[in-house]
């Protein structure tokens, strides 16, 4: 008998305490998956497409037979991969799109080998519904301290330093694989794989791991790269405590050059720069291009901050922030923000 487990049971038990195996195709897994899961596909993308075409053209029976023909030669490797995951003796759970044929077949196969494998009732679809419900009914048990400041204030680095020390941090830029600027996809190799679904899953997972309470977050616009912050979450962020970073221009230039690494990603920066012509004009962009050619990254950054980013920031800065912190190093910013967090956190 194939025993099914509910998502609510697994979430209560803890995703980190079980082995989650996603038997969907690689492209389905990349699009989005249950955090902590590993992908051991029963069918690869091409094979899944072939079975799907057969189903449409010849019917369910022929499609299933084709699936058996495709899978049979791969079974020894497939079974050993699952056995390797399950060897730590933790509860092991397989899932597919709806908790149907692919995960059911996997459980049946593993039963023959003596491996006790469960399947997730409802599959990935029930998990996706859970994430949607979470953001559609965003709980008021989550509160936020927004860190805002002009481009180059090293806000992300300050927050990540605090996260490393154990404070609750919602890292939206990490979830989006984007730095939240016109050059935000530079040095972000995961950016091409990001979509709204897996972005929301990553954000959900942060809340799931840490639970209710106060989170530090960088003040962002609604959109980050190609994704958007869920609206109820975005609204909550903007009704909580605002902290403004006041960082000298020289330090901001230094932080920006260190963060974007123009010497390593010069072509990516040029492509992003070209998109700014309609905002700052062709003559400014041409001048900036010359500075890139001459490897004068500091002057390039100074002009870009003063002519483009700072005017945008001045339109979004809170008129009466709750706190203003002034720093020239990440460590200084970290200490001041940590004090504010300790004064305002809720359990």
């Amino acid at each position: 008998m194939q025993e099914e487990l509910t998502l609510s049971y697994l979430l209560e038990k803890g995703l980190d305490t079980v082995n989650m195996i996603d038997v969907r195709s690689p492209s389905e897994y990349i699009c989005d998956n249950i955090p902590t899961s590993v992908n051991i596909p029963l069918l690869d993308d091409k094979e899944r497409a072939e079975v799907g075409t057969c189903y449409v053209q010849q019917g369910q029976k022929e499609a299933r037979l084709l699936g058996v023909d495709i899978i049979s030669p791969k079974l020894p490797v497939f079974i050993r991969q699952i056995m390797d995951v399950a060897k730590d003796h933790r509860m092991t759970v397989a899932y597919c799109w709806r908790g149907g044929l692919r995960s059911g077949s996997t459980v049946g196969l593993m039963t023959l080998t003596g491996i006790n494998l469960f399947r997730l009732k409802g599959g990935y679809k029930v998990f996706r519904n859970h994430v949607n419900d979470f953001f559609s009914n965003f709980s008021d048990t989550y509160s936020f301290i927004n860190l805002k400041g002009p481009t180059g204030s090293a806000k992300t680095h300050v927050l990540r330093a605090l996260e490393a020390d154990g404070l609750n941090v919602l890292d939206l830029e990490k979830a989006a694989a984007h730095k939240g600027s016109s050059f935000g996809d530079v040095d972000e190799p995961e950016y091409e794989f990001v979509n709204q679904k897996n972005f929301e899953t990553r954000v959900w997972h942060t809340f799931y791991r840490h639970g209710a309470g106060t989170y530090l977050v960088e003040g962002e616009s609604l959109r980050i790269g190609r994704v958007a912050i869920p609206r109820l979450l975005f609204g909550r962020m903007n009704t909580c405590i605002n902290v403004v970073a006041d960082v000298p221009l020289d330090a901001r230039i230094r932080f920006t050059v260190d963060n974007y690494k123009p010497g390593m990603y010069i072509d990516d920066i040029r492509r992003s720069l070209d998109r700014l012509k309609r905002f700052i004009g062709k003559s400014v962009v041409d001048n900036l291009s010359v500075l890139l050619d001459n490897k004068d990254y500091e002057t390039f950054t100074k002009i870009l901050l003063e002519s483009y980013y700072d005017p945008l920031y001045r339109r979004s800065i809170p008129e009466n922030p709750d706190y203003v912190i002034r720093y020239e190093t990440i460590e200084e910013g970290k200490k001041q923000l940590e004090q504010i967090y300790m004064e305002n956190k809720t359990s």
Side-chain angles (χ1 to χ4, degrees):
M1 181 177 178
Q2 296 176 359
E3 186 169 352
E4 292 183 316
L5 299 176
T6 64
L7 178 66
S8 59
Y9 171 80
L10 292 173
L11 294 180
E12 184 176 350
K13 181 177 176 61
L15 291 179
D16 290 334
T17 69
V18 299
N19 298 317
M20 297 293 296
I21 298 176
D22 187 327
V23 298
R24 298 177 302 157
S25 66
S27 64
E28 291 175 287
Y29 180 81
I30 290 172
C31 179
D32 189 31
N33 58 76
I34 299 176
T36 75
S37 66
V38 296
N39 187 213
I40 305 178
L42 196 61
L43 297 169
D44 64 26
D45 294 316
K46 181 181 177 182
E47 292 163 347
R48 177 169 172 259
E50 290 174 358
V51 172
T53 300
C54 181
Y55 180 88
V56 172
Q57 295 178 348
Q58 301 180 49
Q60 184 183 65
K61 181 179 179 180
E62 292 301 319
R64 289 194 174 192
L65 288 174
L66 176 60
V68 170
D69 289 341
I70 292 173
I71 293 167
S72 295
K74 305 191 299 180
L75 282 181
V77 173
F78 179 74
I79 290 172
R80 286 190 177 91
Q81 287 177 316
I82 293 179
M83 291 178 68
D84 189 56
V85 171
K87 67 184 179 182
D88 61 5
H89 304 296
R90 298 197 305 178
M91 176 182 288
T92 303
V93 184
Y95 71 89
C96 57
W97 170 244
R98 295 187 181 183
L101 185 60
R102 285 181 287 180
S103 58
S105 300
T106 301
V107 171
L109 284 170
M110 298 313 296
T111 298
L112 296 176
T113 68
I115 298 296
N116 192 23
L117 186 68
F118 300 89
R119 70 170 168 174
L120 173 62
K121 184 176 182 179
Y124 164 80
K125 185 177 180 180
V126 76
F127 169 75
R128 182 61 200 166
N129 289 339
H130 174 80
V131 174
N132 286 337
D133 290 343
F134 177 84
F135 288 115
S136 297
N137 303 279
F138 192 65
S139 172
D140 59 7
T141 59
Y142 300 96
S143 62
F144 299 92
I145 298 173
N146 278 317
L147 177 60
K148 300 187 176 185
T151 299
S153 298
K155 301 180 294 294
T156 301
H157 290 77
V158 169
L159 291 174
R160 289 177 182 173
L162 290 169
E163 183 178 28
D165 283 350
L167 277 65
N168 289 348
V169 172
L170 177 59
D171 194 337
L172 294 169
E173 292 188 0
K174 182 178 181 180
H178 195 276
K179 297 181 179 68
S181 73
S182 298
F183 299 83
D185 59 343
V186 174
D187 191 24
E188 296 287 353
E190 294 297 314
Y191 179 66
E192 64 178 302
F193 303 112
V194 172
N195 58 57
Q196 189 66 30
K197 287 183 179 180
N198 57 39
F199 170 71
E200 290 177 0
T201 291
R202 293 165 186 170
V203 174
W204 168 86
H205 194 218
T206 296
F207 292 126
Y208 170 72
R209 286 186 293 115
H210 298 299
T214 303
Y215 286 75
L216 291 163
V217 64
E218 184 172 342
E220 301 281 359
S221 58
L222 180 64
R223 294 198 64 84
I224 310 175
R226 57 166 58 105
V227 298
I229 301 171
R231 288 191 177 274
L232 289 181
L233 167 59
F234 184 71
R236 184 73 50 75
M237 287 167 50
N238 285 282
T239 58
C240 292
I241 295 170
N242 285 313
V243 180
V244 169
D246 182 5
V247 180
L249 179 60
D250 288 348
R252 291 169 52 211
I253 292 171
R254 184 176 69 251
F255 288 145
T256 302
V257 173
D258 289 345
N259 192 25
Y260 285 88
K261 306 178 183 67
M264 296 175 60
Y265 298 99
I266 192 75
D267 292 336
D268 293 336
I269 289 174
R270 285 189 191 281
R271 282 192 292 270
S272 297
L273 179 62
D274 192 58
R275 296 196 292 265
L276 295 184
K277 284 182 181 179
R278 63 192 180 104
F279 299 110
I280 59 178
K282 183 178 182 299
S283 61
V284 175
V285 169
D286 289 345
N287 180 38
L288 289 170
S289 296
V290 171
L291 292 171
L292 282 180
D293 291 336
N294 295 332
K295 298 183 180 180
D296 188 352
Y297 304 132
E298 287 74 18
T299 305
F300 170 89
T301 302
K302 182 177 185 294
I303 293 173
L304 199 55
L305 291 177
E306 292 181 326
S307 64
Y308 178 64
Y309 285 109
D310 286 1
L312 289 176
Y313 171 70
R314 284 193 288 269
R315 294 202 294 266
S316 64
I317 185 72
E319 289 186 11
N320 298 296
D322 299 284
Y323 298 90
V324 176
I325 58 176
R326 296 176 174 85
Y327 58 88
E328 295 189 29
T329 67
I330 293 171
E331 186 63 28
E332 290 172 353
K334 172 187 166 184
K335 288 180 180 178
Q336 294 178 64
L337 190 56
E338 181 175 15
Q339 183 177 347
I340 293 171
Y341 178 86
M342 293 303 178
E343 291 173 357
N344 291 278
K345 71 173 183 175
T346 59
S347 58

